[in-house]
Amino acid sequence: MFIKAIKKALATQKSTRSNQVLSLFVALVLALTIGASKAKAQIIGDLEVNVPFQFHVGNTKLPAGKYVIHMLDDSDLKVMEISSADGSTSALFEVQQAEANSTPAKSELIFNKYGNRYFLTELFEEGSSSGSEVLKSRYEKRVSQQAVEAQAHIPAHRRVQQGN
């Protein structure tokens, strides 16, 4: 009787280990699949842009000028930073994945224009239809109750690293 109980326990233990290994394998495949789909929306490296007008991004109003934009590390591809080229001004803003109607031939920032106010709304990198959509601030939601007059497309380019 004692030997039967041991054999039964060993058989149950083998079955449990097989189920654990299978569960771990399924979890790993699922994690890799989700990670790969998120990675395609990421803008790699820094984008440089010269914005010729004052604009809003998130809850921040920025003057016309040259800017550098990048995805924040460890933000799960949900937070970007925009900084003036001289480093004197910066802002963080939330984004989500966006899909362009067609693959852009060059990197660009898209702004919604309401009256004389511009709001950064989307960012796309050259050659990729996946990009980032800026989440609307309360202020933009309030202003956007008017009709969108236009959109402005501003070209951007990948920042060249210096000193390597």
Side-chain angles (χ1 to χ4, degrees):
M1 180 136 170
F2 182 70
I3 294 175
K4 281 185 180 179
I6 291 175
K7 285 183 180 180
K8 187 175 182 182
L10 286 174
T12 302
Q13 195 174 31
K14 279 184 181 180
S15 174
T16 303
R17 282 190 186 156
S18 295
N19 287 340
Q20 288 175 337
V21 170
L22 181 60
S23 296
L24 285 173
F25 179 73
V26 169
L28 178 63
V29 168
L30 184 61
L32 290 174
T33 303
I34 290 170
S37 67
K38 283 186 177 181
K40 71 180 185 177
Q42 183 176 11
I43 292 178
I44 299 169
D46 294 344
L47 287 181
E48 288 185 332
V49 62
N50 187 11
V51 182
F53 44 77
Q54 177 178 292
F55 65 100
H56 298 264
V57 59
N59 294 316
T60 306
K61 184 177 177 181
L62 296 170
K66 293 183 179 182
Y67 290 92
V68 177
I69 303 170
H70 68 272
M71 189 70 67
L72 277 187
D73 294 337
D74 300 325
S75 73
D76 199 26
L77 306 178
K78 293 183 186 283
V79 179
M80 296 186 85
E81 179 179 31
I82 184 167
S83 305
S84 58
D86 65 6
S88 64
T89 307
S90 70
L92 300 178
F93 56 99
E94 291 183 87
V95 296
Q96 62 187 13
Q97 184 174 346
E99 289 293 322
N101 293 333
S102 62
T103 302
K106 58 187 174 198
S107 299
E108 67 179 354
L109 276 60
I110 302 171
F111 294 83
N112 282 337
K113 182 182 178 192
Y114 309 99
N116 62 352
R117 297 179 192 106
Y118 290 88
F119 293 85
L120 179 60
T121 187
E122 292 178 311
L123 305 93
F124 290 99
E125 196 164 23
E126 175 181 340
S128 175
S129 62
S130 293
S132 297
E133 177 184 1
V134 179
L135 300 183
K136 287 186 177 184
S137 65
R138 275 192 234 158
Y139 180 60
E140 182 178 1
K141 288 176 185 174
R142 188 165 26 101
V143 171
S144 70
Q145 290 176 350
Q146 308 164 9
V148 174
E149 291 182 7
Q151 282 194 330
H153 294 246
I154 306 298
H157 62 276
R158 188 180 302 271
R159 185 175 192 188
V160 178
Q161 297 295 328
Q162 299 174 351
N164 283 345

